[in-house]
Amino acid sequence: MAGVPQAKTPIAILAGRGALPFAIADAARASGCRVHLIGLTGFADPALAVQDDVHVTQVGRLLKSLRAAGCRSIILCGGLERPGRLRDLRFDWGVLRYLPRLWRVLRGEGGDDRLLRAVARFFHEEGIEVIGVKDIAPDLLTPPGVLTRLTPTPAQIQDSEAGLAALRAMGPFDIGQTLVVLRGRIVAVEAAEGTDAMIERVMALRENGRLPQKRGEGVLIKIAKPGQDMRFDLPTIGPETVEQAAKAGLAGLVLEAGRTIILDREKTLARAETLGLFVYAPLLDPAVA
Amino acid sequence: MAGVPQAKTPIAILAGRGALPFAIADAARASGCRVHLIGLTGFADPALAVQDDVHVTQVGRLLKSLRAAGCRSIILCGGLERPGRLRDLRFDWGVLRYLPRLWRVLRGEGGDDRLLRAVARFFHEEGIEVIGVKDIAPDLLTPPGVLTRLTPTPAQIQDSEAGLAALRAMGPFDIGQTLVVLRGRIVAVEAAEGTDAMIERVMALRENGRLPQKRGEGVLIKIAKPGQDMRFDLPTIGPETVEQAAKAGLAGLVLEAGRTIILDREKTLARAETLGLFVYAPLLDPAVA
């Protein structure tokens, strides 16, 4: 990791989907950094005031933009589903040069971790270091403790311990980082579908009677994978996650402190208070404190 | 376990949803056993010619029926979603007597394993042994080997190894027994939603471009949980599972030999052949051979 970025060169932010790139850009500027924002076409929010736009495959264009701006470090952030349909991709000439190295990355062999490490290695070989949220916007990371007035009950703590143990066991297999525990039973595990789709599934299982319908039960648990590269892909929640969890009748959210991100923290926690959900952030890895 | 049932007393079959109870009753009769079929109201197929019907909570009625028929052993089989809405349940007087012991079972504290072990203990205390498919219809169990003419490629074997390792790690947490691996990545994990819903999710993720759309890729893997009580709840597939997997564009099915069930084996494997799917059954636990 590059450590604290030097104020002399601007930080590049390669922005995918969602609100995280905005939050990171704001935080970087607030700490006195210059920012070079590059939007990933088709992913980045059009409301983002970017300096440049690239397609996910326009590697030549991206490197040229980074060099022209004098960037020595980059932060990759925001949602970036893998291209399912190769015909939707646009290529540039740069891609030909990098094709052998890019091929495995694009094919998406292996899980997300391997993919992301390959991307970081690629940038490093080009003289640009991939940095993380911790380096530029540490306040986005979830602080430890119970973050709402409402605290989890002993039964909910027990549910969250059961879920945390299962997530830790699954970690080496690069699956998901999120699951839902209801009355001691793991009722949903997230993989490629994403957190929102998983919460919707719990909602549907309650509606069709496959799960108990009593509301205010069940805990959503989200942690970083053991050994996760802190430079990217940190599990993220925001106000909508809380809204969704409330709709699904869950009692609260358990988020790993220091290795997950709460977007719009004030608003997110206020929504949780209003909707009667607890947010509890245990510190699982003392090394991140 | 009761071992090979005595031909003198009839075997009770408590039938839940689906085709498995039919298959077990046929197999038991073919091996010369008398059968006392009891359908679980709301679950058992109405086409099943039963000797008796009970609601899932009519414990007094069930025990009376078993004793009247002289049954000393019972096999519990077929789908039985947990009652999500308690108001849909019907009680009888017997339930009052057994209420303290039943309460934990009905509330569904903990995972399926604990629930089922509690049920087995309950029957045992009433002098009736819960037996398994292995004891009465061993031919329903998946035999080891590649069961189709089409065999898995080395890459598919590798995918299946990755999935098997993850399922084994998840075993102690009583989650699911089924997942889908695509290009080395675990893209779906089954929990409370069931196998069909999980396959449908993979289909949807392919259709909306979140997963590669190329067909003939991806492996469905289904195993028994490590240490699973062989008396019930064995993971089961049938012709529809193969149809679904083909619709989702998967390349094949990997089933644990000896500890999973293939319903209508001939028809299921014939459908796999027709649809171009392999079915591969590795023997994971030499003790079941």
Side-chain angles (χ1 to χ4, degrees):
Chain A
M1 246 173 263
V4 179
Q6 297 165 322
K8 282 164 199 162
T9 63
I11 307 284
I13 299 179
L14 188 61
R17 201 171 36 77
L20 184 58
F22 290 86
I24 291 176
D26 288 348
R29 288 195 189 105
S31 72
C33 293
R34 278 185 298 143
V35 162
H36 182 65
L37 253 170
I38 304 172
L40 275 168
T41 311
F43 297 102
D45 192 322
L48 204 64
V50 296
Q51 275 77 57
D52 229 329
D53 260 309
V54 298
H55 275 268
V56 68
T57 44
Q58 290 177 318
V59 182
R61 192 181 153 98
L62 172 62
L63 291 172
K64 216 157 133 185
S65 174
L66 294 175
R67 286 189 183 123
C71 298
R72 306 281 301 160
S73 54
I74 189 167
I75 184 157
L76 314 171
C77 54
L80 181 62
E81 292 81 23
R82 293 195 214 185
R85 300 187 297 180
L86 281 172
R87 71 188 140 102
D88 287 352
L89 296 178
R90 276 210 231 157
F91 295 92
D92 67 0
W93 293 109
V95 85
L96 287 179
R97 218 175 109 202
Y98 304 107
L99 209 54
R101 277 190 286 154
L102 282 171
W103 178 240
R104 274 185 60 84
V105 174
L106 277 175
R107 275 233 346 150
E109 301 280 357
D112 283 334
D113 276 0
R114 263 189 281 173
L115 178 75
L116 290 166
R117 280 181 218 278
V119 169
R121 201 165 49 242
F122 176 84
F123 279 110
H124 176 77
E125 285 165 7
E126 296 296 327
I128 290 156
E129 298 309 316
V130 176
I131 62 169
V133 169
K134 188 158 76 61
D135 303 308
I136 189 89
D139 285 351
L140 290 174
L141 297 172
T142 304
V146 177
L147 310 182
T148 45
R149 269 191 305 274
L150 197 68
T151 60
T153 65
Q156 287 159 349
I157 295 274
Q158 219 177 339
D159 277 358
S160 96
E161 293 297 332
L164 289 170
L167 283 171
R168 279 205 204 91
M170 279 185 260
F173 302 98
D174 206 6
I175 303 176
Q177 309 113 311
T178 310
L179 50 73
V180 172
V181 183
L182 184 68
R183 296 184 185 177
R185 182 181 174 212
I186 294 166
V187 296
V189 178
E190 175 188 336
E193 74 274 22
T195 303
D196 287 357
M198 189 205 53
I199 302 178
E200 270 168 36
R201 185 159 81 241
V202 173
M203 215 180 307
L205 288 169
R206 277 191 147 154
E207 275 162 15
N208 71 19
R210 297 276 303 254
L211 289 178
Q213 294 187 306
K214 192 171 160 234
R215 298 181 63 79
E217 285 192 332
V219 177
L220 177 100
I221 305 166
K222 204 181 226 331
I223 69 169
K225 290 171 208 155
Q228 171 158 348
D229 192 320
M230 289 290 291
R231 285 174 297 179
F232 25 53
D233 193 35
L234 289 186
T236 301
I237 70 143
E240 330 72 52
T241 320
V242 169
E243 302 279 353
Q244 281 249 30
K247 264 193 222 155
L250 299 183
L253 277 63
V254 176
L255 306 170
E256 179 177 359
R259 308 211 305 156
T260 56
I261 290 174
I262 303 181
L263 282 175
D264 225 334
R265 195 195 294 175
E266 215 167 305
K267 189 177 164 198
T268 302
L269 295 177
R271 280 312 282 155
E273 296 281 7
T274 308
L275 296 165
L277 272 71
F278 70 81
V279 179
Y280 166 50
L283 191 62
L284 303 178
D285 180 357
V288 304
Chain B
M1 245 170 263
V4 178
Q6 297 165 324
K8 282 164 199 161
T9 63
I11 308 284
I13 299 180
L14 188 61
R17 201 172 36 78
L20 183 59
F22 291 86
I24 290 176
D26 287 349
R29 289 195 189 105
S31 72
C33 293
R34 277 183 300 142
V35 163
H36 182 65
L37 253 170
I38 305 172
L40 275 167
T41 311
F43 297 102
D45 192 322
L48 205 63
V50 297
Q51 276 77 55
D52 230 328
D53 260 311
V54 298
H55 275 269
V56 70
T57 45
Q58 290 177 318
V59 182
R61 192 182 153 96
L62 171 62
L63 291 174
K64 216 156 133 186
S65 174
L66 294 175
R67 286 187 184 125
C71 297
R72 306 282 301 162
S73 55
I74 190 168
I75 183 157
L76 313 170
C77 54
L80 180 62
E81 293 80 22
R82 293 196 213 186
R85 300 186 298 180
L86 282 172
R87 70 187 140 101
D88 286 352
L89 296 177
R90 275 210 232 155
F91 295 93
D92 67 2
W93 295 109
V95 85
L96 287 179
R97 219 176 108 203
Y98 304 108
L99 209 55
R101 278 190 284 153
L102 282 171
W103 178 242
R104 274 186 60 83
V105 174
L106 277 174
R107 274 233 345 150
E109 301 280 358
D112 284 333
D113 277 0
R114 262 190 282 174
L115 179 75
L116 291 166
R117 279 182 219 277
V119 169
R121 202 165 47 242
F122 176 83
F123 279 110
H124 176 76
E125 287 165 6
E126 295 297 325
I128 290 156
E129 298 308 317
V130 175
I131 61 169
V133 169
K134 187 158 76 62
D135 304 308
I136 190 87
D139 286 353
L140 290 173
L141 297 171
T142 305
V146 177
L147 309 182
T148 44
R149 269 190 305 274
L150 198 67
T151 61
T153 64
Q156 287 159 350
I157 295 275
Q158 219 177 338
D159 277 357
S160 97
E161 293 297 332
L164 288 170
L167 283 172
R168 279 205 204 92
M170 279 184 259
F173 302 98
D174 206 5
I175 305 176
Q177 310 113 312
T178 310
L179 50 73
V180 172
V181 182
L182 184 68
R183 294 184 186 176
R185 182 181 174 212
I186 294 166
V187 295
V189 178
E190 176 189 335
E193 73 275 23
T195 303
D196 286 358
M198 189 205 53
I199 302 177
E200 268 167 37
R201 184 159 82 241
V202 173
M203 215 180 308
L205 288 169
R206 277 191 147 153
E207 273 161 18
N208 71 18
R210 297 274 304 252
L211 289 178
Q213 295 187 304
K214 194 172 159 235
R215 297 181 63 80
E217 283 192 335
V219 177
L220 178 99
I221 305 166
K222 205 180 224 334
I223 69 168
K225 290 171 209 155
Q228 171 158 350
D229 192 319
M230 288 290 290
R231 287 173 295 178
F232 25 54
D233 193 36
L234 290 186
T236 300
I237 70 144
E240 331 70 53
T241 320
V242 169
E243 302 279 353
Q244 281 250 30
K247 264 194 221 154
L250 299 182
L253 275 65
V254 176
L255 306 170
E256 179 177 359
R259 308 211 306 156
T260 57
I261 290 175
I262 303 181
L263 282 176
D264 224 336
R265 193 194 296 173
E266 215 165 305
K267 189 178 163 197
T268 301
L269 295 177
R271 279 312 282 156
E273 297 281 7
T274 309
L275 296 165
L277 271 72
F278 70 81
V279 178
Y280 165 50
L283 190 61
L284 302 179
D285 180 358
V288 304

